[in-house]
Amino acid sequence: MVGRLLARGGALLPRGGELPAEEWQRRHRGLVAFLWINVAAVFVCTVAVGRYGAIHTISHGLAIIPLVLLAAMPRLSQKVRSIAVVLGLMTASAQFVHISGGVLETHFYFFVLVVLLTLYEDWTVFLIAVGYVLLHHGIMGTIEPRGVFDRPEEWAAPWKWATIHAVYLAGAGVAGVVTWSFNENVRARMRAAQSELATISETDSLTGLGNRRKLLADVRVALDGPDDTILLLLDLDGFKTYNDSFGHGAGDALLARLGQRLATSLGPHGTAYRPGGDEFCVIARAESDTAASLQALAVDALTERSELFTIGASSGCVLVGSEAQTVTDALHLADLRMYAQKTGGRSGAGGQAKDVLLATLLERSPDLGRHTGGVAEMTDAVGRNLGLPADELVAARHAAELHDIGKMAIPDAILDKPGPLTPDEWAFMHQHTIIGERIVSAAPALIPAAKLVRSSHERFDGTGYPDRLAGEQIPIGARIITVCDAYEAIVSDRPYRAARSSQEALTELRACAGTHFDPRVVDAFASVITAGTRAGSSDHPV
């Protein structure tokens, strides 16, 4: 019973030694300043009483000054400095008792100081203060009882009264100890709340995986580590169609399910993240020869099929440290590799729909199909040169492959006419981008590409068709397609003229920069073409 009561009482006591360093410094500076005030007060009180000589008066203060100097030395530990303060303040209080001739009221200052010293929230300081009173009153009460006590019964039994004073002093410190315990509890709750907030700020609420903030932090840690780390970027194929077909609630449930499956499949070998949207990431410690197996494992975890849908994943892998030395480089390289796989694969709904339309176009007009293929390759290269995000690159490449799909509705007599078109024929021809938009947008996954198809014949100065957009109003993907389409047309044979050289085509593109074409896109295109020509390519260097 007694043991349980003691244990329960002990649980209510503060632990001590948990004061944050900055707060300890702030409180310590205040107590050191207060100690200096006590040194001055001892001198003033000694002189005011007037019963001591000059040497005796000076000795009162000199007994405390070394302790003040120790307390102010930053190279000493917190424990040593705090002990110097408690000894200094207790000595000052003992001097006041001695100066007064043991007057009982001067003992009250000990009670004030013991509460004040609980600001350190340290059991060592508290116990030294109580022990100091016991030893001072007992020893000095034995040697010079009239300098400690002011009553005969106390002179006769100094240790008895020293013990009584120490017990009362400890009791007086209860208020300080309670406040100290309360402060510890408040700080513990604050730390728990901060920890919870930190966890929330780094966690994706839908999947429970680390979010983009956590991913970036962990990549930075990996860059500072001794071993290569695999960064794997994964983007779901077919998710938009799934979301459009079954609703956002079902889409969220799918993301949560796939995220947990990814984390479970990795086990202790890696950590899964969801930066946002339908993207996932993996960080794993591995050598380059195991990267492929981890990549396959992650892709398999994000694959789900039924009779109604197919969800897959495109992925890009990079070895952080050896292949990329910064967070930005690592994410960019992984994104490029993922994009290359996505545009080269056939698993996505957009890729499947695009392939059906291209097959139709090739059946209808083989020449158009070959032309759009060349435009798509150049569009992809120029888009990467300009740093387009992966989703915009995908949409631009799809649009480049399908930008002439609307010409299937144009009669061959107009398409293959060897001479100039009449105004009516041009009006008919100008409808092909609108028709193309309608055809492409029939596949929900290709809606971003459909918008680019519509704008693929706009001009930078606003004289194009069908909406007479100008400058930045024209989507960047469409501006790239316009330049690449013009180049491909110039270097290809036409019914009304022969093909021209790559250099002649570049000269014409530069001449029309700022009117027909975006100058920035022309510069990027010329850079891509020049690089391809240096590598030994033909008139189709991309």
Side-chain angles (χ1 to χ4, degrees), residues 51-52 94-107 144-151 154-155 165:
R51 94 173 80 153
Y52 302 105
Q95 296 282 23
F96 292 134
V97 172
H98 173 69
I99 293 166
S100 70
V103 174
L104 178 64
E105 286 74 11
T106 57
H107 287 261
E144 189 184 352
R146 294 177 184 274
V148 178
F149 302 112
D150 63 351
R151 292 182 300 170
E154 294 173 337
W155 303 336
H165 277 236

Side-chain angles (χ1 to χ4, degrees), residues 156-384:
W159 282 102
K160 169 187 172 182
W161 287 99
T163 303
I164 291 172
H165 277 236
V167 170
Y168 273 112
L169 186 71
V174 168
V177 171
V178 169
T179 302
W180 161 14
S181 180
F182 175 76
N183 288 340
E184 280 190 350
N185 292 334
V186 169
R187 284 197 298 272
R189 288 195 295 271
M190 288 179 63
R191 284 195 297 269
Q194 288 170 349
S195 177
E196 185 177 354
L197 284 173
T199 300
I200 292 172
S201 71
E202 294 185 337
T203 303
D204 173 50
S205 59
L206 182 62
T207 62
L209 304 178
N211 60 12
R212 183 173 183 81
R213 180 197 294 260
K214 177 64 172 171
L215 171 68
L216 296 179
D218 287 356
V219 174
R220 291 189 191 98
V221 171
L223 285 167
D224 295 332
D227 302 318
D228 277 334
T229 297
I230 290 175
L231 171 65
L232 184 60
L233 184 61
L234 303 117
D235 188 80
L236 296 183
D237 297 324
F239 178 73
K240 187 178 187 308
T241 302
Y242 182 95
N243 223 20
D244 292 341
S245 301
F246 300 104
H248 293 291
D252 288 348
L254 175 68
L255 289 173
R257 187 164 65 249
L258 294 179
Q260 288 307 307
R261 189 185 301 162
L262 177 62
T264 302
S265 68
L266 292 171
H269 304 296
T271 305
Y273 307 82
R274 178 178 173 248
D278 58 353
E279 274 192 353
F280 291 88
C281 275
V282 170
I283 291 180
R285 289 284 179 189
E287 301 298 332
S288 58
D289 57 352
T290 62
S293 60
L294 277 172
Q295 191 168 0
L297 184 69
V299 170
D300 184 62
L302 295 178
T303 300
E304 188 166 310
R305 295 184 180 87
S306 78
E307 294 180 355
L308 300 176
F309 67 89
T310 297
I311 298 294
S314 298
S315 61
C317 185
V318 61
L319 283 171
V320 177
S322 60
E323 292 186 315
Q325 285 72 49
T326 67
V327 176
T328 301
D329 288 346
L331 291 173
H332 181 63
L333 183 55
D335 186 67
L336 286 177
R337 289 175 176 174
M338 181 198 72
Y339 166 72
Q341 186 185 101
K342 182 179 286 288
T343 55
R346 293 292 182 265
S347 58
Q352 294 169 6
K354 181 255 305 177
D355 288 346
V356 171
L357 292 174
L358 277 179
T360 306
L361 179 61
L362 281 169
E363 288 294 329
R364 169 69 171 79
S365 178
D367 288 340
L368 276 180
R370 285 189 291 271
H371 164 72
T372 57
V375 173
E377 290 179 12
M378 289 185 287
T379 296
D380 184 68
V382 175
R384 281 186 278 115

Side-chain angles (χ1 to χ4, degrees), residues 519-537:
R520 184 167 67 101
V521 173
V522 171
D523 289 341
F525 181 86
S527 173
V528 168
I529 292 295
T530 302
T533 303
R534 284 178 185 153
S537 303

